[in-house]
Amino acid sequence: MFLRFKLGKAHDGNQIVLSLNRFDISIVNHIYSYGGKQGLYELGVFWTDEPVYYDIDEDSREFVNDVKGWLDEESVTNIVDRLSSLDESSDRLVYNILEILQ
């Protein structure tokens, strides 16, 4: 699978954004990112088309834009591989992404 990506600067560090059809994967390393001061990475998933919500319970919904920090290069690679292999047409896409980012 070929991923579209953009490289950029974020604060004092770097950012790469990998674009899939329905969401982007952002990987950053800078002094404000989770783990950045230790040389580790923060990875986030952001929806490209519209906000996506998931139900916490009957009365509560949560906005899905999630990040995971303190990741080494191997962990980032593993997560990107798993996210990029998801079926984006699945009704369970949101839950599958959240499961990966736990």
Side-chain angles (χ1 to χ4, degrees), residues 4-98:
R4 297 179 312 274
F5 68 93
K6 291 184 225 174
L7 296 173
K9 292 289 184 187
H11 301 287
D12 67 330
N14 297 300
Q15 177 181 35
I16 184 169
V17 178
L18 306 170
S19 296
L20 299 169
N21 292 327
R22 293 187 56 200
F23 60 92
D24 292 337
I25 302 168
S26 170
I27 304 161
V28 295
N29 171 268
H30 54 73
I31 61 171
Y32 302 112
S33 63
Y34 297 124
K37 290 181 182 178
Q38 293 81 19
L40 299 173
Y41 299 90
E42 176 185 299
L43 181 146
V45 173
F46 302 94
W47 296 93
T48 57
D49 49 3
E50 61 186 53
V52 174
Y53 297 86
Y54 70 99
D55 295 329
I56 296 173
D57 56 39
E58 291 181 13
D59 301 319
S60 181
R61 300 178 87 205
E62 184 71 29
F63 182 61
V64 178
N65 270 349
D66 213 349
V67 299
K68 183 171 184 137
W70 295 278
L71 301 169
D72 60 20
E73 290 178 15
E74 182 178 343
S75 297
V76 169
T77 300
N78 180 291
I79 292 171
V80 169
D81 286 346
R82 292 176 65 199
L83 289 170
S84 62
S85 68
L86 290 175
D87 175 4
E88 292 189 58
S89 65
S90 170
D91 292 340
R92 298 210 32 90
L93 179 62
V94 171
Y95 296 97
N96 293 337
I97 289 171
L98 293 172

